[in-house]
Amino acid sequence: VPNDLEQFISTHPQLKLIAFNGAKAQNLFDKYFRRKEHLKYLSLPGTSPANASFSFERLYERWREILL
């Protein structure tokens, strides 16, 4: 059962971005929720060992996008 993200989004109007920790997280979000026009969505490389080929610097550059 997915978390009640609709409620979370509606009670946090200052929210501007939803970042996904990997493709699976993005796919599950899209399966259960509709994207909102006022939000930005960012798909990031997952933090699992499956992405061991990503250097720390490469992961850092991608993940720091959530701060911009």
Side-chain angles (χ1 to χ4, degrees), residues 10-33:
S10 69
T11 58
H12 293 83
Q14 71 278 19
L15 187 67
K16 295 179 172 85
L17 169 75
I18 293 178
F20 302 107
N21 182 11
K24 180 72 171 181
Q26 180 178 340
N27 291 340
L28 287 171
F29 182 91
D30 289 336
K31 178 178 178 179
Y32 292 107
F33 304 101

Side-chain angles (χ1 to χ4, degrees), residues 21-63:
N21 182 11
K24 180 72 171 181
Q26 180 178 340
N27 291 340
L28 287 171
F29 182 91
D30 289 336
K31 178 178 178 179
Y32 292 107
F33 304 101
R34 280 189 20 209
R35 293 185 181 215
K36 310 289 186 200
E37 290 183 17
H38 69 283
L39 292 175
K40 179 180 174 183
Y41 297 87
L42 183 60
S43 186
L44 299 167
T47 54
S48 76
N51 286 325
S53 64
F54 283 80
S55 69
F56 173 79
E57 291 77 19
R58 186 172 172 198
L59 287 173
Y60 172 80
E61 287 301 317
R62 289 297 316 279
W63 275 87

